[in-house]
Amino acid sequence: MLGSSNLPVLSSFGSTMWAMRFHAPGDLRLEQLAVPNPKPGEVRLRPLAAGLCGTDAHIFKGEFPAASPVVLGHEVAGIIDAVGAGVKGLVEGDLVTVQPNTYCGACRYCRTGREHLCPNLCAYGVHIDGGFAEAMVASARVVYRMPSGLDARLACLAEPLSCCIHGMDRTAIQSGSTVLVIGAGLIGLMLTRLTRLAGAGLIVSSEPQEFRRKCALEFGADTVVDPKQEGETQALAATHGEGFDFVVDAVGSSATFSQAINMAARGGTILVFGCAPMHATATVRPFDIYARELTVKGSFINPYTHERAVSLLPQMGLEKLQIEAFPLAEFRKAFERQPATSMAAKIELLPQP
Ligand SMILES: [Zn+2]
Ligand SMILES: [Zn+2]
């Protein structure tokens, strides 16, 4: 493994840079690549912080399709250092985040206002070179200016936050609604906070790790339960046995999906937010959906929500969370730490030397 002392100083900006590329499942490499130049309509940024997410871990294990070789990193905050021809509203020195998903614009989904369902979706850090590198180019259309002075390690959380905001759009939680959030990792905590901001009357968080249950209280949960210790019974008791108007599965597994169905009130909505393993299955009684008039909804990525994530980020209280950050050269350590099982709510890479 290369030590960080071997990394070139980017400010001199020679013709090469260090980048972490995915070649095949189990095969990630730190490599020297040519520094990309922005084409018309693009900007180049120096990623200062880039989040590692479940998707990266899935790509590494071969459980999620990605291009190869490709520079990973789709949760990126950085400083613009070159602006391509024709770009308006962005200048060198701006702190920005990248909304990583791009769409074809020509399919039925794109043409009916549902671009995120585009079968030709192409994402920076998955299909196109992303932010685990000293430099990255992106279309100015997907680059968003952040308040200057914001810590880049927080700024890059705009991407997962934008996905959570879409989840909120999908639920349409009302003032006074009762909500169960399953899981209190970064995503569960963000959804708990958003649920509170949306005016929920009762929020219960279900989470097996004690320190995360504490975080859930800080992020707005009224009650926390341990799913391994009679958690379902306690959660139901909080609703006088009725169940919850909304159940958010922020974990993504067969077990949490079944739990979500069981915990919903009559007429309740289940939001499938967490990404379950692609081939996992769950058993549901259609009678339940019928007789209890349940609604099951998915929430996928972040259509039209990154702008709102930028506005909302400062109100999320994310500075309370522990972020564990590694230099780019220590990417293997970072991948070993994902998913975060310690006190850290997020693992990030810091691509600049
Ligand atoms: Zn992600
Ligand atoms: Zn399309």
Side-chain angles (χ1 to χ4, degrees), residues 103-111 114-115 117-121:
Y103 310 104
C104 79
C107 72
R108 176 171 176 76
Y109 302 96
C110 284
R111 291 181 171 197
R114 298 173 293 164
E115 313 182 306
L117 302 179
C118 174
N120 308 308
L121 182 157

Side-chain angles (χ1 to χ4, degrees), residues 53-56 74-75 159:
C53 110
T55 306
D56 298 304
H74 61 272
E75 302 177 357
E159 197 276 343

Side-chain angles (χ1 to χ4, degrees), residues 1 24 29 39 55 85 108 129 137 147 150 158 160 165 202 246 258 291 301 305 324 331 348:
M1 194 190 302
R29 301 180 204 168
K39 294 199 252 315
T55 306
R108 176 171 176 76
D129 285 345
V137 292
L150 184 68
I165 291 175
L202 171 74
F246 296 91
S258 301
I301 61 174
T305 52
E324 200 172 354
F331 71 90
E348 295 183 6

